Amino acid sequence: QVQLVESGGGLVQPGGSLRLSCAASGSISSVNGMGWYRQAAGKQRELVAFIIIGGNTNYVDSVKGRFTISRDNAKNTMYLQMNSLKPEDTAVYYCRGWNKATEYWGQGTRVTVSS
């Protein structure tokens, strides 16, 4: 069983940057896919970006060119580099990992983009 813990959230001004981390309690080298989701107040949780075991990535249109997802299997950690942050990026960010029949979720980290 893999446990995921997010960190790196906080308050940042518009245009600023943050890097979120998702640390796993066990090896992620065999976890097929990992992704970042976010949930803003009063809205449904949405997929922001994901990375699969071969390294391919995908992003929701609203963050393309601003966010970069990566994973370091040696450190059992996934990252989300967020640049040019906008107020509409404000949300609780969750990481998720999944295999064929299993999924893991973190507890979330809050990101607030405000002046």
Side-chain angles (χ1 to χ4, degrees):
Q1 184 77 7
V2 174
Q3 293 184 329
L4 303 177
V5 178
E6 304 96 334
S7 62
L11 173 64
V12 63
Q13 292 188 340
S17 297
L18 282 174
R19 187 175 82 155
L20 305 183
S21 299
C22 172
S25 60
S27 173
I28 65 169
S29 60
S30 61
V31 177
N32 287 341
M34 297 192 74
W36 287 97
Y37 293 70
R38 66 186 179 187
Q39 187 166 17
K43 295 189 177 181
Q44 289 190 332
R45 190 173 298 188
E46 67 168 348
L47 175 63
V48 175
F50 69 84
I51 181 168
I52 62 174
I53 200 165
N56 287 347
T57 59
N58 206 345
Y59 300 87
V60 68
D61 285 347
S62 60
V63 308
K64 282 180 181 176
R66 300 188 298 122
F67 290 10
T68 303
I69 189 171
S70 61
R71 59 191 284 179
D72 186 335
N73 290 343
K75 295 183 178 180
N76 296 321
T77 302
M78 177 179 64
Y79 303 97
L80 185 69
Q81 178 66 45
M82 306 187 295
N83 299 327
S84 302
L85 282 161
K86 305 175 180 181
E88 51 263 43
D89 295 317
T90 295
V92 178
Y93 285 71
Y94 301 87
C95 65
R96 174 180 176 243
W98 64 88
N99 287 319
K100 210 170 192 178
T102 309
E103 66 172 5
Y104 318 98
W105 284 93
Q107 83 292 345
T109 185
R110 184 174 299 277
V111 172
T112 303
V113 184
S114 175
S115 54

